[in-house]
Amino acid sequence: MTSIKQLREECTDELFCAGNSTCAGCGLELAIRWAMKALGPRTAMVAPASCLNVIVGLWPKTAPSYPFINMAFAAGAAAATGIRAAYDIKGKEDMNVVVFAGDGGTTDIGIQALSGAAERGSNIIYACYDNEAYMNTGRQRSSSTPYGASTTTTPTGKRQHKKNVPLIMASHGIYVATCSISDIPDLYDKFKKAASLPGCKYIQIMAPCPPGWRYDPSDTVRIADLVVKTGMWILYEIENGKLRLTGKSARLLDKDQRLPVVEYLSEQGRFSKISEQDIQELQTWVDKNWEDLKRWM
Ligand SMILES: Cc1ncc(C[n+]2csc(CCOP(=O)(O)OP(=O)(O)O)c2C)c(N)n1
Ligand code: SF4
Ligand SMILES: [Mg+2]
């Protein structure tokens, strides 16, 4: 694994530039900066409707210093497939083509195009930064919002569990990885690996959002670490159908090593009204997720 010392020494170029308009403590910004450090300047990015469209700013002062296109919500993976084909025809096979999409644009609206690209084996990387709601339009629930979280469309707490898109994509037989912005070396290595593999690759990144989750912006990395330590988000990669736990998740297969979910929930305003019964429901769901993962090991 790449060490933090190596990252400090080798990754000094900023491809996603400072001075953009993310909120303070935005998890998306960390995710995209480090993903781009791994992918390098020979990368073109497709961004379906999301916070990312807005935070890049207006030309000529846009944050991405590489080819970047805003795209209709449903069309991220389809657009990337077309760009890939164009680069290949032009003999630019070395270009990476990456989609950087929100959870709404992925788990709800973009999943059809994503599934199509995976089935066809389009040579693209599809990255979903998961802030667990439609944040750019003011915090509506998505299928990636966790059970019990309040949003503007679930004011008393969502009644459905988070959709497991990484495993849906793994069922397509492609490379799948999960990351958290609390573990940058792990994220960096997974993007590097994805860039080295043929076909369609899917990476989902836990990327907390201070205004949407209602916590202090200075706590973003700590919150992203707690979601891993409680096992509510599991770090792994699936290659050739085999799952390998990574980062802090590698030590958490034993239930006793995981922190209780309440330690994560109690830090965020979006769970402030959650009942004891709902906390128990979430804990049971987490423990079952870990059991289900064993089938992939
Ligand atoms: C077809 C369509 N419907 C609605 C919108 C409005 N819209 C723009 S961004 C957005 C939220 C996207 O949520 P997500 O994909 O999770 O990204 P985030 O905003 O959280 O970064 C919505 C609903 C749109 N641009 N296009
Ligand atoms: S609303 Fe959330 S995801 Fe969007 S820019 Fe602000 S912190 Fe980042
Ligand atoms: Mg979102």
Side-chain angles (χ1 to χ4, degrees):
M1 185 167 112
T2 309
S3 67
I4 291 182
K5 184 170 179 287
Q6 278 172 296
L7 290 182
R8 271 212 200 100
E9 287 168 1
E10 293 167 18
C11 301
T12 48
D13 287 349
E14 292 292 347
L15 296 169
F16 192 83
C17 300
N20 59 66
S21 60
T22 53
C23 312
C26 175
L28 155 62
E29 193 199 20
L30 268 175
I32 200 165
R33 275 180 60 211
W34 284 93
M36 283 308 301
K37 283 171 188 267
L39 297 176
R42 299 282 296 163
T43 299
M45 182 174 282
V46 180
S50 60
C51 277
L52 180 54
N53 300 156
V54 180
I55 66 170
V56 291
L58 296 177
W59 189 84
K61 295 186 177 174
T62 38
S65 60
Y66 48 88
F68 181 97
I69 185 167
N70 288 320
M71 190 44 59
F73 232 144
T81 299
I83 292 169
R84 169 83 277 152
Y87 277 137
D88 289 350
I89 286 168
K90 283 173 162 276
K92 297 184 179 180
E93 285 91 354
D94 64 314
M95 286 291 292
N96 296 308
V97 181
V98 61
V99 180
F100 229 82
D103 50 293
T106 303
T107 69
D108 295 331
I109 300 171
I111 197 166
Q112 176 274 132
L114 170 60
S115 173
E119 187 270 334
R120 287 189 306 271
S122 300
N123 184 13
I124 61 168
I125 300 170
Y126 190 108
C128 168
Y129 67 92
D130 190 0
N131 54 25
E132 301 190 320
Y134 290 77
M135 293 309 182
N136 184 51
T137 39
R139 198 163 49 92
Q140 296 80 27
R141 62 86 93 185
S142 76
S143 55
S144 204
T145 303
Y147 180 92
S150 76
T151 66
T152 54
T153 47
T154 57
T156 54
K158 193 185 168 202
R159 294 295 90 194
Q160 298 81 24
H161 283 290
K162 184 180 177 76
K163 191 190 278 185
N164 197 335
V165 175
L167 289 191
I168 292 172
M169 294 319 298
S171 299
H172 289 66
I174 64 169
Y175 173 82
V176 169
T178 55
C179 312
S180 168
I181 53 93
S182 61
D183 190 339
I184 294 296
D186 183 65
L187 179 150
Y188 180 87
D189 286 348
K190 286 167 175 167
F191 272 89
K192 275 267 181 225
K193 180 181 271 190
S196 75
L197 296 172
C200 184
K201 287 77 60 175
Y202 179 75
I203 300 180
Q204 191 163 322
I205 311 155
M206 186 51 66
C209 164
W213 295 15
R214 286 181 281 145
Y215 63 82
D216 190 273
S218 63
D219 283 333
T220 288
V221 175
R222 201 170 60 79
I223 297 279
D225 190 42
L226 267 177
V227 72
V228 174
K229 283 182 177 161
T230 53
M232 274 194 69
W233 184 245
I234 310 172
L235 301 180
Y236 59 79
E237 63 180 0
I238 300 177
E239 199 177 357
N240 300 322
K242 277 278 163 226
L243 185 145
R244 186 176 72 87
L245 293 169
T246 67
K248 287 185 182 162
S249 298
R251 299 194 296 270
L252 301 181
L253 194 55
D254 174 4
K255 187 179 168 182
D256 294 340
Q257 301 301 314
R258 305 197 283 268
L259 293 177
V261 293
V262 69
E263 293 200 20
Y264 168 67
L265 307 177
S266 60
E267 299 271 344
Q268 302 165 60
R270 64 179 174 154
F271 293 109
S272 61
K273 295 195 185 112
I274 195 167
S275 66
E276 282 302 320
Q277 204 181 348
D278 283 350
I279 293 172
Q280 194 45 53
E281 169 67 31
L282 263 172
Q283 186 66 64
T284 305
W285 176 79
V286 166
D287 295 341
K288 182 176 177 303
N289 278 348
W290 279 86
E291 284 307 306
D292 289 348
L293 271 197
K294 288 181 182 166
R295 280 186 286 144
W296 290 84
M297 289 178 184

